[in-house]
Amino acid sequence: MLSFRSVSHDYGDTASVSNVSFDVGAGEVVTLLGPSGCGKTTLLRLAAGFETLSSGEIISENRILSSSGLLVPPEDRKMGLVFQSYALFPHLSIWDNIAFGLRRDKMEKDAIAARVAEMLKLTRLEKFARRKPHQISGGQRQRVALARSLAKAPKLLLLDEPLGALDKKL
């Protein structure tokens, strides 16, 4: 499903990821563990196409996504990334945050409404649909970010600190 081959990434003179290789198979759940600053988030951002490799390759389904440069843009990778900071649009409602990617993909309005309703129900956020991100809790914001990523039905879901603020009942 996803392969990292001798992946390295530098921020200026500082190596953030150095010669990392591993595979993620279809249906697998893989967890990256390590201290703050060891490169976990950078690996996710590299996989999603938000950072450029210094060296190595990232391959998904026998297609090279990155090879010392960006070959496939993030929007064509069929991956969802839930950022540690949620990255919600503060001026948009919860409903519109979830619909954002679907609208960019030019999905039909009725299909968008149905998919957003499905994601709101899945994350138990139906009654918060018209609120803005600052009007809900941190756990609820994290669920919005998850719903937004899942709405596009990605083949691969990348989660950065996925359980950090989730409500215990969920």
Side-chain angles (χ1 to χ4, degrees):
M1 185 70 182
L2 185 67
S3 296
F4 290 79
R5 298 280 177 253
S6 302
V7 168
S8 295
H9 177 72
D10 302 324
Y11 288 109
D13 293 336
T14 305
S16 61
V17 174
S18 192
N19 198 28
V20 173
S21 297
F22 66 94
D23 297 314
V24 179
E28 286 186 334
V29 175
V30 174
T31 303
L32 301 174
L33 298 173
S36 181
C38 75
K40 303 178 299 289
T41 296
T42 300
L43 281 172
L44 295 177
R45 291 180 58 81
L46 287 165
F50 297 126
E51 297 287 346
T52 304
L53 293 174
S54 298
S55 64
E57 290 183 327
I58 298 176
I59 303 164
S60 179
E61 297 179 315
N62 298 318
R63 182 171 122 178
I64 298 173
L65 303 178
S66 297
S67 179
S68 299
L70 186 63
L71 300 177
V72 178
E75 62 271 17
D76 295 335
R77 292 187 181 214
K78 298 186 180 173
M79 294 183 194
L81 175 58
V82 178
F83 295 95
Q84 182 176 354
S85 64
Y86 319 132
L88 300 178
F89 299 108
H91 63 290
L92 297 179
S93 69
I94 301 313
W95 197 98
D96 289 323
N97 263 282
I98 296 169
F100 184 82
L102 304 174
R103 286 183 175 142
R104 284 195 48 119
D105 289 347
K106 297 181 171 61
M107 185 182 273
E108 296 287 329
K109 286 184 180 184
D110 291 344
I112 291 173
R115 186 66 176 161
V116 171
E118 181 183 356
M119 293 298 100
L120 286 167
K121 183 176 181 182
L122 176 70
T123 55
R124 300 181 188 161
L125 291 168
E126 300 102 310
K127 66 183 179 181
F128 304 104
R130 294 291 159 213
R131 292 190 187 177
K132 299 278 172 70
H134 73 275
Q135 297 173 314
I136 61 176
S137 73
Q140 291 164 335
R141 278 181 248 160
Q142 190 161 23
R143 287 188 276 162
V144 174
L146 182 60
R148 184 179 57 196
S149 286
L150 291 173
K152 292 187 59 160
K155 288 187 175 190
L156 184 64
L157 185 61
L158 307 169
L159 306 166
D160 193 2
E161 299 280 341
L163 305 176
L166 281 182
D167 303 318
K168 291 180 183 181
K169 290 182 182 179
L170 186 64

